[in-house]
Amino acid sequence: MPVDTSPRTTTWTHVEGEWLPGNPPLIGPTSHAMWLASMVFDGARWFDGIAPDLDLHCQRVNRSAVNMGLKPIKTAEEIESLAWEGIKKFDGKTPIYIKPMYWGEHGSPGSVVSVDAESTRFALCLFEAPMGGHSGSSLTVSPFRRPSPETATTDAKAGGLYPNSGRAIAEARNRGFDNALMRDLNGNVAETASSNIFMVKDGVVFTPVANRTFLAGITRARVMGLLGQAGFDVREVTLSVEDFMNADEIFTSGNYSKIVGVNRLDGRDFEDGPVTRKALDLYMDWANGRSHSHSGE
């Protein structure tokens, strides 16, 4: 039986001047992105009438494109405006994932492996995606590592980086955990397979220093700033697995579910602690007070 290629939730995609429902066939077997992975994307969220830091996500996808060797063909402001236009196509009841994307259609002259920046294409895909819970995630240390900037396109939110995360998650789930704690090539903690990570020890909030082996996220930066403004001591430092095993609290940050508490790391259980709850409260208070609803006008 052929695979059903229709999306699993309501989806709208803007490409080349029009909005298309479902999963439009945009990439063919000769498209550079399909076989040589010249694709970058970003992910923002709309929920409860707000889209926190949408502007920053639209700016970052253009930086990712440049770092992939692609040519941004939309301004960040144009992408943001299109996103609000697309949001109107939904019923407003279910949270939406907002995914701007760039990819290469052809290889460069003289080398099929290197992408031709002039062949860059753009699409903006929006689809319904519930937010998920904020507590109860379990982690295990992954045998797989995050690449360094010398070995992969770590300065872009590139689709080609995610199979490594996918295999880490699959391996962790085969051992009964929800997600994987990933280290860099030096053995220091980088992040989980799908989100940035924080730990709390004696009231101090720590997060791995941004060393270009992982995407130091927009939500991560927002949480660090909000906790700092609230009087917490927030530090970016080099952290070991042992540091996390000895922590009082662990939580993750990411665009998809925002703040999520960790209740288990390998053999140790953790409580959903007060700093984790405060981080979520601060973020949601900021989002609802400072990220204003938008009519798209």
Side-chain angles (χ1 to χ4, degrees):
M1 294 290 290
V3 174
D4 180 4
T5 62
S6 59
R8 292 176 176 174
T9 62
T10 300
T11 303
W12 285 92
T13 299
H14 186 276
V15 62
E16 294 170 353
E18 61 179 332
W19 286 99
L20 303 173
N23 185 28
L26 300 180
I27 298 179
T30 68
S31 297
H32 193 273
M34 182 169 180
W35 65 310
L36 293 171
S38 56
M39 190 280 288
V40 298
F41 72 101
D42 218 289
R45 276 296 215 166
W46 175 94
F47 58 94
D48 297 337
I50 57 176
D53 285 327
L54 175 59
D55 55 340
L56 300 184
H57 287 281
C58 295
Q59 293 164 24
R60 188 173 65 182
V61 75
N62 280 3
R63 294 197 301 272
S64 290
V66 171
N67 291 337
M68 177 59 81
L70 300 169
K71 180 181 179 180
I73 54 179
K74 296 282 187 187
T75 67
E77 293 77 15
E78 287 172 333
I79 298 170
E80 186 178 1
S81 179
L82 282 172
W84 285 110
E85 184 180 309
I87 288 165
K88 293 180 182 178
K89 294 184 171 293
F90 295 81
D91 63 16
K93 298 176 182 177
T94 303
I96 298 168
Y97 192 84
I98 301 167
K99 182 175 63 171
M101 310 168 69
Y102 286 108
W103 71 96
E105 192 61 34
H106 302 296
S108 62
S111 174
V112 69
V113 174
S114 179
V115 68
D116 181 358
E118 296 302 318
S119 73
T120 300
R121 298 182 68 193
F122 171 81
L124 174 63
C125 179
L126 283 73
F127 58 90
E128 291 183 346
M131 293 291 287
H134 296 290
S135 63
S137 177
S138 61
L139 300 177
T140 182
V141 177
S142 179
F144 305 120
R145 302 289 182 97
R146 283 288 191 212
S148 68
E150 298 85 1
T151 62
T153 52
T154 59
D155 289 331
K157 192 172 174 66
L161 295 172
Y162 282 79
N164 190 46
S165 296
R167 68 175 183 160
I169 291 172
E171 193 275 340
R173 289 184 173 178
N174 284 339
R175 293 193 285 112
F177 295 86
D178 298 320
N179 207 328
L181 185 68
M182 299 192 74
R183 295 165 290 172
D184 61 24
L185 295 180
N186 291 324
N188 300 310
V189 172
E191 60 173 353
T192 79
S194 59
S195 54
N196 295 137
I197 193 159
F198 292 80
M199 56 164 274
V200 183
K201 182 67 174 180
D202 297 328
V204 179
V205 182
F206 297 91
T207 194
V209 64
N211 62 2
R212 299 174 64 205
T213 67
F214 63 94
L215 194 71
I218 290 168
T219 304
R220 170 186 179 271
R222 182 64 66 190
V223 169
M224 290 172 63
L226 291 170
L227 285 170
Q229 291 167 21
F232 288 90
D233 183 1
V234 182
R235 305 178 189 177
E236 283 188 279
V237 295
T238 299
L239 295 165
S240 66
V241 172
E242 184 179 7
D243 291 327
F244 277 85
M245 291 299 293
N246 292 325
D248 299 324
E249 301 176 46
I250 301 175
F251 63 92
T252 64
S253 71
N255 175 63
Y256 210 89
S257 295
K258 303 308 178 187
I259 311 299
V260 178
V262 171
N263 65 9
R264 182 162 59 114
L265 172 57
D266 282 322
R268 189 179 158 201
D269 293 335
F270 290 84
E271 297 294 328
D272 184 15
V275 181
T276 301
R277 294 192 297 271
K278 184 65 173 178
L280 178 59
D281 288 345
L282 287 169
Y283 183 87
M284 288 304 178
D285 287 347
W286 167 80
N288 284 288
R290 302 267 310 274
S291 295
H292 302 296
S293 60
H294 195 295
S295 66
E297 297 301 331

